[in-house]
Amino acid sequence: MRDNKRQIIHFDLDSFFVSAERLQNSKLVAKPVLIGGTSDRGVVSSCSYEARRFGVHSAMPMKMARRLCPDAIIIRGDMELYSKYSNMVTDIIAEKAPLYEKASIDEHYIDISGMDHFFNSLKWTRELRSSIIKNTGLPVSFGLSVNKTVSKIATGEAKPNGELEVPPGLEKYFLSPLSISKIPMLGHKSYRLLRSLGLTNIHSLSMLPVEIMERLMGKNGIAIWKKANGIDNSPVIHYHERKSISTEKTFDKDSTDIKRLNEILVSMIEKVSFRLRKQQKLTSCITVKIRYSNFDTHSIQKRIPYTSFDHVLIETAKELFKKLYSRRMLIRLIGVRLSHLVQGVQQLDLFEDRPEMAKLYMSMDHIRKRYGKDAVKRAVGVRDMQSPSPHNGSKEKHDPGECFENRVLKGSIYH
Amino acid sequence: MKFVISSSELLSHLLAISRVISTKNTLPILDNFLFKLEGKDLEITASDLETTLTTGLSVENASESGSIALPARILTETLKEFAEQPLTFDINTETMAVVIISENGQFNIVGQKGIDYPKLPELKEEKKTALLMSPEVLLQGIAKTLFATADDELRPVMNGIFMEMFTDKINFVASDAHKLVRYTRTDAKAEAEASFILPKKPASLLKSILPKEENQVSIEFDDKNAFFTLSDFKLVCRLVEGNYPSYNSVIPKDNPHKLNIDRVELYNSLKRVSVFSNQASNLVKLQLTGNQLTVSAQDIDFSISANERLNCQYDGEDMEIGFKSVFLIEILANLSSQEVVVELSDPSRAGILLPVERDNDDEDVLMLLMPMMIGN
C-alpha cells in the first residue's frame, strides 16, 4: 500500500561532462565530443550524443573511440568544474525538494510522496526541471514514478533532454517491452548470462520464478528479479556516508621502476589524505592495490590507528607496497584506498606529532583550499605535474562522483 | 593436610586475590588457587603468570603441612552462599581429594598437585633495588595516574605507570600519548636513582588492596620483576620491559596564556556540552576571549549543537583550541582542587592543567592534554 503512494523522481543531467564543457566553450556545441584520458590507454568517461551516433559509449577505450569517430574533439576533463556545476544543480533541488539524494555527480533522486495533495506532481517536477535548465544551462531529463528503479529506467527512456512519467500501476506495462540491459546495476556478465537463457526483455525476466533467479545468481538474482518486476523499496536517503576514499592510476607504459612507483604512491596518498582532512574524517584502514601487466590484480590492507596525516599513511603505504610487489613483473596500475572512515579531527600525539608539524599540515591545507589542491605538494610528486610528456596522459579513476587527474599546476604559492 | 577456617574470612581473602585470575588462562592450573599450609599459617596464591598475588591467614586445628591447587570458581561461588561458620578442609595429599565439611553437609572437590603451580620468579641480587614507601604515597601515585595509561599493543611501555625514583622525590607518570599525568611526591625517596614500569593490572590490584594498609610497603625490584610486600598481601609482577619515552621533553615549558577557572563548573559544563559533540571525535572547542570561556560542540550529522559561556580569569591572547571531551572530563575528574589553572600556548600545543591548591604540601600534580587539530 505504502509503496503505491510513493512518488520518486530521478533527475539525470544529459551527457553532463560534455554539457559542462559546452557551457565553457560554445564551439563544442553540436560536435562529437569525447571526455576522458587522452592517451591511447585512457577510457571515455563521457561523450556527446553526436559521438554516440558513431557507436561510442562511455567506459570504452579511448583508442577504440578515436577509431570509431576520428573527428571527435577529445577533452581531458576538469573535475573541479564539473563539481561546481553539479553543486549548482544540487542547490536548486535542495531549495525546492523536501527530500533528495545525490546519487552521483549527475544524478539526483527526489522523494515527493504526499506532495500531490497540494501540487500536481508532474507539473511541479516540470517546473523544477525548467528551473535547473534556466539557471545552469545544463540539459536535464527526469523520470517520475513510484520507486527509484522505475524512475531511473524512465529517465533512461526519456533521454536526451526529455521527461517521462510512469503512473502508479503502469510500471510493469512500461518495463515489459524494454531490453534487460536497461535494468540498473545489471552488469555485463549477468547480461550475457541472462541473454544466453533467451531472456531478452524485462517481461520474460519478470515471468521467471524467483527461485530460479536465486539459484542462477544468488542474492543478486533476487534483486534483479525484483527490479524487473518494478519492485524497489529502497528509500531516498538524503546523506550517503562515504565509505572510502580512493584513487588509482594506470600507466601509459607498464613499469617496474620502483622508485617512480613509490613517488606516485606518495603523491596519491597526499591527494587522498587531503580529501580526508577536507571532509574532517579519519581513516583506520589503508589498502594498496597493484595490477600486473597480465591484469592479475592484487591488494593488501592494514588496520592502523585513526589518522589523517600524510606521513603516517605514506609510511604504511610504502610498507604495504613493498610487501605486495613480489613478482618481477611490469605493473600496469597502482591504487590506494582509505576506508573505515569516521567523522572527526586528528587527536595530536604527544610523542609523535610535533606542534610544528600540525601547523605545517594546517597551513598546507589552508593554501590548498585557497589556491587549489595542487598548489603545494611534496617534491617527489611534483615531477608528475611539471614534465608534461610521459605521464600526463595517464588515466586516473576515482570514486563515482570524483574523477580524473588534476590538471597542470595552476599557480604555486611562490609566485 | 587438614585445617579449620572461618568461611567469611576465607571468602574475603579469596575475593581480594581472585581478580588476578584471568578468564583466558594459558595454563589450566592457573584457574586454581594455590593453598599452602605451614604450621598454622595458610598462604593462598592466585596468578596469571604475569602477576601473582598472595595472601596469608592463620587457621585452626591445622595438621600436616603441604600444598594443593583448588579450583577457584567452585570455591568462591560456594563460599559466597555460606553464612558465617567454621569449615573443615580435609585434604588427602595422595589422591588430591578434598572434602569441605560445613555445619550441614559436605562438599567434595578434586585439587591438583601444588608442586605443579608455577613458581614465583626470583630477583637478581646484583640488579635488585629495595625501598620502603608509605601506602598513602603509593596509593595516591597509582590512583592519580592509572586513568592516563594507554591500551596500545604497539607501544607496551605506555600501558603502565612509570615510577621514577630519585634521591629527593618520586615521580609517577602515565600517558597514552594524548594525555599525560605526572604526580610527584617529595616526601618519598629512594637511595639511588631507579625506575620501573608497573603494568596496569598489578597497579589496579594495588589500588584496591592499599587503602586498608597501615604499614610501610616494601618494594623490591630488578629489571624484570617487582615485589610489593604489604602486611597481609604480597604482590609479584612482571614489569614492562623497555624504555619509557622521555616525557619531560614533551611537556611545554613556556605557556604564556593562563586560564583560571572553577574546576567543577568547567567539568559540569563539559558534561552537558559534550553530549552534543560528534560521537566519533568527541570534539569540544574552548574559545577564550577576554575573561570569558565559551565551551562549544556540534554534531553536523544530527544537526545538534551546544555552547555555554563561563566566567574565568584569562591572561593571554584570544584563542580557540579543541580537545577530546572525554579526555578533558577525565582529567578534571582526577584533579581535586576547587580551582584549576589551564596553561596554553597555541592551538596545536599541549594544554597543561594544574590544581591551584594542593591536597598535600609534598605533592605536585601536572596533567597535560594534547589538543585536536581543528581547521582554520
Side-chain angles (χ1 to χ4, degrees):
Chain A
M1 261 324 274
R2 190 182 153 268
D3 198 46
N4 286 340
K5 284 186 190 159
R6 290 210 304 165
Q7 281 191 301
I8 311 289
I9 314 166
H10 178 245
F11 266 104
D12 195 324
L13 294 157
D14 301 327
S15 57
F16 173 50
F17 295 171
V18 177
S19 306
E21 289 292 344
R22 281 178 176 161
L23 290 177
Q24 298 294 302
N25 180 1
S26 59
K27 285 182 185 156
L28 300 174
V29 176
K31 286 189 182 134
V33 180
L34 303 177
I35 292 176
T38 45
S39 75
D40 280 352
R41 297 174 65 156
V43 291
V44 178
S45 58
S46 179
C47 55
S48 68
Y49 283 89
E50 290 78 8
R52 286 181 205 191
R53 227 167 275 151
F54 291 86
V56 179
H57 57 80
S58 38
M60 173 184 272
M62 191 53 93
K63 203 172 179 177
M64 193 192 279
R66 225 184 276 171
R67 210 174 295 152
L68 287 169
C69 182
D71 296 332
I73 302 161
I74 301 173
I75 299 171
R76 192 135 165 62
D78 177 356
M79 220 45 223
E80 270 174 54
L81 176 77
Y82 307 152
S83 297
K84 199 184 90 193
Y85 278 114
S86 172
N87 290 336
M88 278 165 69
V89 174
T90 311
D91 287 345
I92 295 168
I93 292 175
E95 198 181 303
K96 305 219 162 129
L99 175 64
Y100 71 95
E101 170 178 340
K102 187 166 183 165
S104 75
I105 195 160
D106 60 352
E107 277 177 288
H108 295 83
Y109 287 102
I110 306 173
D111 189 342
I112 53 163
S113 308
M115 273 173 67
D116 52 343
H117 288 299
F118 311 105
F119 306 99
N120 176 317
S121 301
L122 186 62
K123 190 164 166 253
W124 184 88
T125 317
R126 270 191 196 135
E127 276 168 15
L128 179 57
R129 175 172 171 240
S130 52
S131 159
I132 294 171
I133 295 171
K134 207 170 91 193
N135 286 306
T136 63
L138 295 164
V140 60
S141 307
F142 75 77
L144 168 63
S145 190
V146 296
N147 61 43
K148 282 162 97 173
T149 302
V150 181
S151 298
K152 190 177 162 98
I153 298 174
T155 311
E157 293 305 297
K159 279 188 162 201
N161 215 353
E163 56 180 58
L164 183 62
E165 186 192 10
V166 180
L170 296 179
E171 303 93 63
K172 282 204 155 186
Y173 179 75
F174 161 69
L175 292 175
S176 290
L178 299 174
S179 155
I180 53 166
S181 63
K182 306 260 179 183
I183 299 175
M185 308 302 285
L186 186 88
H188 184 63
K189 276 198 180 149
S190 317
Y191 173 69
R192 292 271 289 273
L193 177 72
L194 296 172
R195 275 307 297 265
S196 71
L197 295 171
L199 303 169
T200 48
N201 57 25
I202 295 180
H203 175 73
S204 55
L205 177 57
S206 69
M207 295 308 281
L208 215 61
V210 66
E211 294 80 17
I212 291 188
M213 283 299 286
E214 188 179 7
R215 213 174 319 145
L216 220 54
M217 303 160 80
K219 262 190 193 157
N220 199 17
I222 301 178
I224 290 172
W225 183 85
K226 278 192 177 165
K227 282 179 182 168
N229 280 285
I231 304 167
D232 176 8
N233 290 320
S234 61
V236 171
I237 301 165
H238 175 61
Y239 176 68
H240 262 294
E241 188 83 50
R242 189 170 273 259
K243 296 259 169 55
S244 70
I245 296 181
S246 65
T247 181
E248 56 186 46
K249 186 169 188 130
T250 311
F251 306 122
D252 286 347
K253 241 180 122 189
D254 298 349
S255 165
T256 50
D257 182 353
I258 298 289
K259 187 163 166 275
R260 178 77 200 126
L261 289 166
N262 269 311
E263 285 168 11
I264 291 169
L265 204 59
V266 169
S267 67
M268 287 199 314
I269 295 269
E270 237 187 334
K271 200 159 63 184
V272 287
S273 63
F274 170 60
R275 267 174 23 210
L276 202 63
R277 290 195 298 273
K278 206 165 66 176
Q279 295 171 24
Q280 296 221 327
K281 290 210 161 116
L282 303 171
T283 177
S284 72
C285 184
I286 172 167
T287 311
V288 175
K289 172 167 115 178
I290 56 172
R291 179 170 293 151
Y292 290 107
S293 53
N294 65 353
F295 280 85
D296 265 4
T297 311
H298 299 267
S299 68
I300 182 171
Q301 66 176 52
K302 187 179 177 185
R303 290 302 296 263
I304 48 169
Y306 282 113
T307 187
S308 62
F309 278 151
D310 300 2
H311 65 277
V312 182
L313 294 167
I314 286 172
E315 277 315 301
T316 324
K318 281 184 170 172
E319 176 196 316
L320 290 176
F321 176 64
K322 208 172 156 191
K323 239 191 248 172
L324 187 63
Y325 183 45
S326 51
R327 291 155 67 181
R328 301 297 300 161
M329 216 203 283
L330 288 162
I331 291 184
R332 178 185 167 84
L333 170 148
I334 182 165
V336 288
R337 167 193 192 84
L338 307 177
S339 52
H340 294 81
L341 308 181
V342 292
Q343 192 74 40
V345 287
Q346 185 86 34
Q347 163 73 55
L348 296 174
D349 187 296
L350 195 49
F351 299 101
E352 282 175 5
D353 304 333
R354 306 301 306 151
E356 293 76 25
M357 209 187 50
K359 274 190 199 151
L360 179 64
Y361 275 107
M362 281 201 239
S363 318
M364 287 205 309
D365 288 351
H366 190 67
I367 293 167
R368 286 184 185 131
K369 275 177 199 156
R370 188 142 174 208
Y371 298 101
K373 59 183 184 243
D374 297 323
V376 55
K377 49 167 60 187
R378 277 178 170 72
V380 286
V382 170
R383 198 168 90 182
D384 199 28
M385 292 291 111
Q386 285 181 341
S387 65
S389 50
H391 292 284
N392 85 333
S394 53
K395 168 203 70 164
E396 286 212 6
K397 200 180 96 216
H398 294 270
D399 295 348
E402 298 276 334
C403 229
F404 299 177
E405 174 49 291
N406 24 29
R407 293 155 321 145
V408 181
L409 199 60
K410 272 187 182 157
S412 89
I413 44 155
Y414 306 108
H415 286 175
Chain B
M1 207 169 132
K2 198 170 177 180
F3 56 85
V4 177
I5 193 167
S6 135
S7 64
S8 57
E9 198 189 345
L10 178 61
L11 179 64
S12 72
H13 280 84
L14 290 184
L15 288 180
I17 64 168
S18 66
R19 280 182 51 212
V20 179
I21 296 174
S22 130
T23 44
K24 291 170 288 190
N25 271 325
T26 41
L27 290 176
I29 197 159
L30 294 176
D31 294 331
N32 295 275
F33 290 118
L34 176 68
F35 281 68
K36 206 170 180 180
L37 186 65
E38 264 187 46
K40 284 185 68 174
D41 296 325
L42 177 66
E43 205 182 76
I44 313 172
T45 302
S47 173
D48 68 352
L49 282 186
E50 305 261 311
T51 310
T52 306
L53 186 55
T54 302
T55 179
L57 65 166
S58 55
V59 293
E60 308 289 321
N61 301 344
S63 69
E64 264 186 88
S65 297
S67 68
I68 186 167
L70 297 178
R73 199 181 51 84
I74 294 185
L75 223 48
T76 44
E77 282 184 10
T78 32
L79 283 170
K80 270 180 200 163
E81 310 306 326
F82 274 123
E84 160 64 15
Q85 59 184 284
L87 295 174
T88 309
F89 280 71
D90 190 353
I91 299 158
N92 181 336
T93 39
E94 286 296 305
T95 60
M96 294 294 144
V98 182
V99 184
I100 306 169
I101 301 155
S102 70
E103 276 174 4
N104 309 325
Q106 81 175 44
F107 302 82
N108 300 305
I109 50 177
V110 183
Q112 292 180 56
K113 286 201 175 93
I115 205 156
D116 294 339
Y117 205 82
K119 298 277 163 304
L120 279 183
E122 275 173 23
L123 293 176
K124 289 186 213 114
E125 277 306 318
E126 70 279 10
K127 288 189 179 165
K128 193 172 111 173
T129 311
L131 71 150
L132 286 175
M133 193 184 283
S134 98
E136 189 265 338
V137 172
L138 186 56
L139 178 62
Q140 282 300 316
I142 291 172
K144 289 273 187 216
T145 53
L146 188 59
F147 79 95
T149 52
D151 235 335
D152 186 350
E153 283 171 22
L154 298 174
R155 283 189 282 198
V157 289
M158 316 276 282
N159 299 348
I161 299 172
F162 182 52
M163 275 180 72
E164 199 181 21
M165 287 148 272
F166 299 98
T167 48
D168 57 341
K169 62 175 180 188
I170 290 181
N171 279 341
F172 296 82
V173 181
S175 172
D176 63 359
H178 302 316
K179 51 191 185 290
L180 180 141
V181 182
R182 185 186 68 195
Y183 181 77
T184 306
R185 285 296 284 248
T186 47
D187 55 348
K189 49 197 70 116
E191 277 165 19
E193 286 189 14
S195 67
F196 63 82
I197 304 169
L198 179 67
K200 257 183 182 188
K201 188 169 176 181
S204 74
L205 287 165
L206 281 170
K207 195 180 156 191
S208 68
I209 57 177
L210 276 168
K212 288 183 211 125
E213 186 59 39
E214 280 162 1
N215 302 320
Q216 293 278 80
V217 179
S218 141
I219 306 174
E220 294 167 283
F221 60 94
D222 62 7
D223 55 341
K224 293 252 161 48
N225 297 288
F227 285 63
F228 294 83
T229 314
L230 288 75
S231 327
D232 284 344
F233 295 98
K234 182 172 186 176
L235 181 117
V236 181
C237 65
R238 174 123 35 105
L239 297 172
V240 183
E241 285 178 53
N243 292 324
Y244 205 76
S246 69
Y247 67 91
N248 272 319
S249 65
V250 297
I251 300 176
K253 299 281 176 297
D254 182 28
N255 292 297
H257 313 318
K258 290 190 171 50
L259 159 74
N260 271 57
I261 191 158
D262 188 281
R263 181 181 65 91
V264 182
E265 246 177 64
L266 178 59
Y267 175 84
N268 290 338
S269 168
L270 282 167
K271 277 277 206 183
R272 287 187 292 269
V273 172
S274 66
V275 175
F276 293 79
S277 69
N278 178 291
Q279 292 309 303
S281 70
N282 282 306
L283 171 71
V284 287
K285 288 183 187 171
L286 307 185
Q287 195 184 5
L288 287 153
T289 32
N291 276 337
Q292 186 164 287
L293 167 68
T294 311
V295 181
S296 66
Q298 62 170 345
D299 189 344
I300 302 165
D301 294 353
F302 295 97
S303 299
I304 53 173
S305 66
N307 71 76
E308 273 194 26
R309 286 179 306 278
L310 298 170
N311 285 325
C312 64
Q313 262 181 31
Y314 181 59
D315 181 13
E317 281 171 24
D318 289 0
M319 70 187 280
E320 188 178 45
I321 186 165
F323 288 112
K324 204 175 185 77
S325 61
V326 281
F327 289 164
L328 193 52
I329 288 171
E330 231 175 358
I331 286 185
L332 289 169
N334 278 282
L335 284 166
S336 43
S337 122
Q338 179 63 39
E339 229 179 275
V340 289
V341 188
V342 186
E343 295 187 355
L344 302 164
S345 58
D346 76 59
S348 57
R349 276 174 207 268
I352 295 179
L353 287 98
L354 304 165
V356 168
E357 64 272 5
R358 297 188 211 169
D359 298 348
N360 176 327
D361 283 343
D362 300 313
E363 74 169 17
D364 177 48
V365 190
L366 176 142
M367 305 214 178
L368 175 152
L369 181 58
M370 282 303 275
M372 296 181 88
M373 217 169 81
I374 46 176
N376 20 17

